Amino acid sequence: MVIGVYLSTIDRPTGTGRSRGVKVVGGNVLALGTVSLVTDVSAEMVTAVLPLYLVLGLHLSPLAYGVVDGVYTGATAVLRLVGGYVADRVRGRKVLAGLGYALSAVAKLGLLAAGRSLAGIGFVVAVDRMGKGLRTAPRDALITLSTPPSALGRAFGVHRTMDAVGAFLGPLVALAVLAGSGQSYDAVFVTSFCVAVLGVAVLVLFVRERDPLAAVPARRPAPRDAVALLRSPGLRRLVLAAVLLGVATIGDGFVYLMLQRRTEIGLLWFPLLAVGTSLGYLLLAAPLGVLADRIGRRPVLLGGYAALAVTYLLLVAPLGGWALLVPVLAAYGLYYAATDGVLMALAGPVLPDALRATGLALVQTGQALAYLVSSVLFGLAWTAWGPTAAVLAAALVAVVAGGTTAGLLLYKGRTA
């Protein structure tokens, strides 16, 4: 209720002006951040226990898990484009985002119906990710349309920080539910659904549609307009950079499974690995967003590649216990903080307002499709070569992808 009262008043000036936080990012960004915070509590409850449930509970092979994990992200690809284009076409970004959030909420109950069926679980996971695919581009477009271009790094940093708070709390809630329910995964899924419904309610009540073209009679975007976006050299480079980022990422589940093997932590504590990454993300997302606005977004993004390569190398280093856990989770959190919102902040200024969601969806789709391929290939490499050789190969890919991205983004010194 306190959150509701606050969000209903943050866009209203007071006698002494707005608070510092509202001046920096605006009320709409804070409202969207609250939606993401609540939704991520729900999503990370499931994400934190899913690798354990599939690999140790259902005894999936690393390759089979790689397929499911790839679908978890790759299934968003096509619907990111659909969601982005439809949101621009009807100028209803809030409606499309709300539909995506609602679809993901319903999918949480679908996990109960799927039981131990791998096909059923795969279908439900795909539906959940389709919801994410529908909502992500319209949501990020709302952020860019509610923020001056010079402050986009800060705005996405604040939003991703709030998102990370949810990701931090989600595994803790899952752990508490597991402990209180005798390690019942069904209880986790039901609780996750209830939290997701709260996120949808916050979106409906407090997020406001921002469209600078609403008062301008203009032709609605056509499919050919979306295709024409890729004629922009700057956007093409950003799409290629997103593809390389997806290729270099093996996925959270594999990182945490590797850590669990190396440290032999108890299964009950497995969800806390995601908490460690989220804590690093939480602490670094906003500062790195501000830094990106000050020194440039490209150097910060490239620093994220370096953090990813360090993460992989630490996974095969001769370390153990806390000496392994803390550096890996810190480096992995740094990777996410330096790449997630910063890539969107890079893309925003090169896109026209009328096709903002579509353009962001193109970038996100490239990353999602590449991640789908990367996850399956890494699962195959783990099965064929063993985990150590597979992680070393992933580190090499991250270094090559980072170097190639540097060439793309620094070409002629400017892309955004």
Side-chain angles (χ1 to χ4, degrees):
M1 180 61 69
V2 174
I3 291 176
V5 173
Y6 175 66
L7 290 177
S8 68
T9 59
I10 52 181
D11 273 340
R12 299 174 187 170
T14 63
T16 58
R18 296 180 186 178
S19 69
R20 180 177 178 83
V22 174
K23 279 184 181 179
V24 168
V25 298
N28 227 32
V29 175
L30 292 178
L32 287 163
T34 302
V35 174
S36 292
L37 188 159
V38 175
T39 302
D40 246 36
V41 171
S42 168
E44 292 302 320
M45 287 180 65
V46 175
T47 301
V49 301
L50 200 59
L52 199 66
Y53 179 57
L54 296 177
V55 175
L56 300 180
L58 302 186
H59 305 292
L60 294 190
S61 69
L63 176 58
Y65 173 72
V67 172
V68 173
D69 186 53
V71 168
Y72 193 72
T73 298
T76 68
V78 175
L79 275 183
R80 283 178 193 263
L81 286 174
V82 173
Y85 173 73
V86 173
D88 285 333
R89 174 81 179 173
V90 304
R91 292 179 185 171
R93 300 172 184 94
K94 175 180 173 179
V95 173
L96 263 292
L99 179 61
Y101 280 111
L103 192 60
S104 291
V106 172
K108 302 301 187 297
L109 292 183
L111 289 169
L112 294 174
R116 300 178 65 87
S117 167
L118 178 58
I121 292 172
F123 174 77
V124 172
V125 162
V127 170
D128 176 69
R129 294 299 87 184
M130 286 176 185
K132 182 176 177 63
L134 278 177
R135 72 180 184 250
T136 301
R139 181 203 65 200
D140 286 349
L142 284 169
I143 294 174
T144 65
L145 293 170
S146 302
T147 308
S150 62
L152 281 174
R154 181 178 293 112
F156 276 104
V158 170
H159 175 269
R160 288 339 193 229
T161 295
M162 298 179 74
D163 186 88
V165 171
F168 176 80
L169 295 175
L172 295 178
V173 176
L175 183 64
V177 172
L178 284 174
S181 63
Q183 301 191 36
S184 168
Y185 291 104
D186 287 354
V188 174
F189 300 150
V190 171
T191 305
S192 174
F193 166 74
C194 295
V195 176
V197 170
L198 176 61
V200 175
V202 173
L203 176 79
V204 171
L205 294 174
F206 302 113
V207 173
R208 302 175 185 180
E209 183 79 30
R210 298 294 177 94
D211 190 345
L213 301 178
V216 180
R219 179 176 61 86
R220 301 284 182 176
R224 63 178 178 275
D225 299 320
V227 175
L229 282 175
L230 289 176
R231 295 174 186 167
S232 164
L235 182 59
R236 282 204 306 268
R237 294 189 195 106
L238 286 173
V239 171
L240 288 174
V243 168
L244 290 168
L245 190 63
V247 167
T249 306
I250 64 173
D252 298 357
F254 281 122
V255 171
Y256 301 149
L257 287 170
M258 188 71 176
L259 273 178
Q260 196 274 332
R261 288 168 62 97
R262 291 289 311 280
T263 60
E264 298 183 353
I265 63 172
L267 300 183
L268 180 62
W269 304 107
F270 185 86
L272 292 183
L273 296 177
V275 172
T277 298
S278 298
L279 179 61
Y281 190 2
L282 166 63
L283 295 175
L284 295 170
L288 286 177
V290 173
L291 182 66
D293 285 339
R294 289 180 178 174
I295 71 170
R297 291 154 193 165
R298 290 180 290 274
V300 175
L301 180 69
L302 296 175
Y305 274 101
L308 183 62
V310 168
T311 300
Y312 295 158
L313 292 174
L314 285 171
L315 287 173
V316 295
L319 301 171
W322 289 104
L324 176 64
L325 278 173
V326 174
V328 166
L329 297 178
Y332 205 40
L334 174 60
Y335 153 68
Y336 275 120
T339 58
D340 188 13
V342 175
L343 183 61
M344 294 298 99
L346 265 171
V350 304
L351 296 168
D353 289 341
L355 287 166
R356 186 66 56 87
T358 305
L360 293 177
L362 284 170
V363 176
Q364 294 162 353
T365 296
Q367 184 177 1
L369 287 175
Y371 176 82
L372 170 59
V373 174
S374 174
S375 186
V376 173
L377 290 179
F378 184 81
L380 182 61
W382 182 314
T383 302
W385 303 339
T388 300
V391 171
L392 284 173
L396 177 61
V397 170
V399 171
V400 173
T404 306
T405 299
L408 284 171
L409 297 186
L410 299 178
Y411 177 69
K412 293 184 179 179
R414 294 286 185 273
T415 58

